[in-house]
Amino acid sequence: MSPRPLALAVLLALLLCATAAAQDAAPPTSDELDLSIEARVDRSTIQIGDLIDYTLHISWNDAAHIDPPDAAIDLSPFIVRDYSAGEIRKLSGRNELELSYKLTIYQVGSFEIPPFRVAYTRDDGSNGVLRTERIGVTVQSLNPALDSAPREIKPPVDLPVDWAAYLRWALPLLLALLAIAVLTWWLARRHRSAVDDQPEKPIDPELRALERLDALAGRDLETPQQRKTFVFELSEVLREYIQGRFGFGALEMTAAELLQALPEVLPQSVLDDVAPRIVSWDLIKFAKSDDSAATLREDCELVREIVRDTAPSPDSDPAEDDLEESPDQEAKP
């Protein structure tokens, strides 16, 4: 026997041994494990937002173990809305499991549900993955008659004004504002009436007289008209003080009437000084007489002294002062 046929026979034997060993070491296929997975949907055409029933049926024998999937799977672009899993059942020595998913999508067009993966493990510890086929689904618009091309933006729509709605909240507001305005006006009027009804506190005649005399003391007395005006006001200051202090109408009296009434309220020494000046003032006021500025300023100081001498003291009763200063009045019945 030649060496060449012998070498060929040895090589053939080695190849057969290697093939047998490889077959013994190779993992079993899904058919050998008797494992299958099937995916189906209840419909392949839906409208946007509709739900699809996506069902998985898994079958295997006891030579393998699977990890049952749960709801946390990614089937993008589809969204899992609900999930339920049945019990594993034994049918003819096989394990049967059915999983149900409710899917939806919010896009329009043709899409595919991606393959579903199931992991399995053999008794010897090796593992693998089985996959389902892709399933096509067509998603239609709610209005299929409209094409998918973008349309022009419609112009703004003028909404009608609901005047009734405005009146429902505006009328009560206006009434409330009117009520507040009326109440404010009434309160202001009431307050003003209360203030007006309060009697004004009378100014003490001596204080008023002294204030007016202070104003007269600074007057210019260069011209006859200025001196005449000065005399008018000085005579009025004296008459107003006597009327307010002693209570008779000195402002309405003539010079003669005033000179007859003054002895009842003024001491004789004061009357001797002021009586000639009252007569002289009347001549300046109603005739064309005139006096010097120095004389008129002395008259102003004379009236000031009369006010100070006849004014009641702060701690005394004015009625008692009147009695003390009018001894002739006390003697009259």
Side-chain angles (χ1 to χ4, degrees):
M1 186 176 183
S2 64
R4 182 172 291 182
L6 181 60
L8 291 173
V10 173
L11 289 174
L12 181 59
L14 291 174
L15 288 173
L16 291 174
C17 291
T19 302
Q23 288 178 350
D24 292 338
T29 63
S30 60
D31 292 336
E32 292 171 342
L33 293 173
D34 201 14
L35 188 149
S36 65
I37 181 170
E38 179 188 2
R40 63 181 183 274
V41 294
D42 61 337
R43 48 187 170 156
S44 61
T45 301
I46 62 171
Q47 289 186 329
I48 186 170
D50 285 352
L51 293 177
I52 305 172
D53 289 332
Y54 180 65
T55 305
L56 293 173
H57 184 82
I58 307 173
S59 177
W60 72 98
N61 60 19
D62 293 335
H65 303 279
I66 71 165
D67 297 327
D70 53 19
I73 60 173
D74 183 14
L75 297 176
S76 302
F78 291 87
I79 303 170
V80 178
R81 287 299 187 193
D82 197 6
Y83 163 76
S84 63
E87 298 290 337
I88 299 176
R89 299 178 299 167
K90 280 282 189 180
L91 294 177
S92 303
R94 295 171 57 82
N95 300 302
E96 305 285 340
L97 175 64
E98 190 166 276
L99 307 173
S100 296
Y101 294 84
K102 288 191 179 293
L103 309 180
T104 189
I105 188 171
Y106 296 101
Q107 303 177 47
V108 177
S110 297
F111 302 93
E112 288 183 341
I113 300 176
F116 194 96
R117 296 171 178 81
V118 177
Y120 66 87
T121 304
R122 295 188 302 165
D123 290 339
D124 61 1
S126 61
N127 51 50
V129 177
L130 292 179
R131 297 174 177 82
T132 64
E133 297 293 331
R134 295 177 180 270
I135 300 178
V137 177
T138 301
V139 183
Q140 297 178 341
S141 170
L142 294 176
N143 189 356
L146 298 177
D147 55 23
S148 58
R151 297 186 298 274
E152 294 183 358
I153 299 176
K154 293 184 178 179
V157 177
D158 293 331
L159 298 177
V161 179
D162 188 1
W163 294 108
Y166 282 104
L167 290 176
R168 277 194 295 271
W169 64 264
L171 187 59
L173 180 61
L174 291 175
L175 292 176
L177 292 175
L178 180 61
I180 292 173
V182 171
L183 180 61
T184 303
W185 172 81
W186 180 78
L187 291 175
R189 182 179 180 184
R190 183 179 179 184
H191 176 72
R192 187 166 54 251
S193 299
V195 172
D196 293 342
D197 292 342
Q198 292 180 355
E200 294 184 3
K201 184 178 179 180
I203 300 177
D204 292 338
E206 58 271 15
L207 294 179
R208 178 173 175 80
L210 292 174
E211 288 177 357
R212 296 188 65 183
L213 289 171
D214 289 340
L216 283 174
R219 293 281 187 86
D220 290 333
L221 301 177
E222 297 179 359
T223 65
Q225 183 60 40
Q226 289 176 337
R227 292 190 288 274
K228 184 174 183 178
T229 302
F230 180 89
V231 168
F232 266 102
E233 294 189 25
L234 182 61
S235 176
E236 185 181 48
V237 169
L238 178 62
R239 289 169 178 267
E240 185 180 59
Y241 169 72
I242 292 173
Q243 179 170 306
R245 175 70 177 85
F246 301 107
F248 60 85
L251 286 170
E252 305 297 329
M253 292 181 177
T254 63
E257 294 172 342
L258 180 60
L259 290 174
Q260 291 179 358
L262 285 180
E264 299 181 2
V265 296
L266 295 180
Q268 186 62 41
S269 58
V270 175
L271 187 62
D272 291 342
D273 292 334
V274 75
R277 299 311 304 157
I278 292 176
V279 175
S280 177
W281 295 342
D282 265 18
L283 293 176
I284 296 174
K285 290 190 296 182
F286 304 113
K288 294 184 178 181
S289 181
D290 193 8
D291 269 337
S292 65
T295 302
L296 296 181
R297 294 193 188 282
E298 291 176 358
D299 291 346
C300 183
E301 292 304 316
L302 174 62
V303 174
R304 189 188 301 275
E305 291 177 4
I306 293 173
V307 172
R308 289 175 176 172
D309 292 342
T310 58
S313 60
D315 299 330
S316 64
D317 185 358
E320 294 178 356
D321 290 340
D322 290 345
L323 292 176
E324 292 176 359
E325 295 173 3
S326 308
D328 296 340
Q329 233 174 353
E330 292 178 357
K332 290 184 178 181

